[in-house]
Amino acid sequence: TVPRRDDGSGLPDTGKDTYAVLANIAGAPVQWTVLLARDRSDDVLGLGASGPLGGAVWNVEVIPVRTAGGSTQTSALLNITHAGTFLDRNVTAFVELYHDGFGKAGRDYTLSELSADLLARLARGRSFVTGRDYLALGSTWEVTPLLQLMPTAIANLRDGSLLLDIQASRSLDNNTALKAGLRVALGSRGSEFKGL
């Protein structure tokens, strides 16, 4: 249970609470996850499965959400992760397809055209994208035991915009790390990553 307060009065507001039950079901070779939740005024069902795929691991999640308005939006993802070596250094790489049921379906749009449900999710940090379908590629590469590079590319499959993100982390001692990054957005005017 996650209780929340009313923004104005500071008093507890049960209409903003979240209640959830999560079950992990061990199986061989597939692991299952079931989530039942009441998030603010939304009813959430999460179904997940993961298992081995050669030397990699696959993960599938399907999350239908029934909103207070009575509509149901379904989000889903498919992720494949593989760990290995590159130039004799440890590397973990992933590819992920993501569908956001609350996302805007069109190619060109503005923030004023986004649904109230999506805007609420953006404001609460539940979502950081505004579109519907995405492909992400990324990795973590240990250049040395103390230096990691983490490149990621996220493509909006509907409008062709692309977000490139490169992070570096250098461990200076047991309690201190130096982090740096570069983020570049590519796409046409009005596209999600370049336009918004």
Side-chain angles (χ1 to χ4, degrees):
T1 301
V2 179
R4 294 189 177 88
R5 297 180 182 276
D6 179 75
D7 294 336
S9 69
L11 297 173
D13 184 348
T14 57
K16 293 184 177 182
D17 292 350
T18 297
Y19 306 91
V21 176
L22 176 70
N24 289 308
I25 304 158
V30 177
Q31 307 283 325
W32 299 91
T33 303
V34 178
L35 170 75
L36 296 172
R38 174 78 171 173
D39 182 33
R40 298 178 184 257
S41 57
D42 296 340
D43 295 317
V44 181
L45 170 65
L47 303 171
S50 62
L53 179 66
V57 175
W58 61 268
N59 178 52
V60 174
E61 296 178 15
V62 178
I63 306 167
V65 176
R66 189 179 68 198
T67 66
S71 69
T72 299
Q73 306 298 332
T74 301
S75 298
L77 72 81
L78 168 64
N79 176 291
I80 298 173
T81 304
H82 187 274
T85 59
F86 176 69
L87 300 176
D88 295 324
R89 303 293 186 212
N90 293 331
V91 66
T92 303
F94 73 88
V95 58
E96 182 171 287
L97 287 169
Y98 174 64
H99 171 79
D100 186 345
F102 289 95
K104 181 81 170 152
R107 292 178 52 95
D108 295 324
Y109 52 91
T110 62
L111 289 174
S112 63
E113 295 174 315
L114 301 180
S115 71
D117 284 330
L118 178 57
L119 289 171
R121 279 162 177 73
L122 290 167
R124 291 194 304 260
R126 295 285 167 93
S127 180
F128 75 98
V129 291
T130 58
R132 181 122 339 154
D133 298 303
Y134 298 89
L135 170 66
L137 304 169
S139 68
T140 299
W141 182 40
E142 292 181 358
V143 179
T144 71
L146 301 177
L147 176 62
Q148 292 183 337
L149 292 179
M150 296 152 285
T152 303
I154 303 172
N156 180 318
L157 296 177
R158 295 204 178 219
D159 69 15
S161 62
L162 183 67
L163 183 65
L164 301 175
D165 184 75
I166 300 173
Q167 302 290 320
S169 178
R170 171 75 162 91
S171 179
L172 301 177
D173 61 36
N174 287 340
N175 299 312
T176 309
L178 176 63
K179 297 186 180 206
L182 173 66
R183 186 168 293 150
V184 177
L186 304 170
S188 62
R189 183 176 182 163
S191 63
E192 178 181 17
F193 292 129
K194 188 67 173 180
L196 295 181

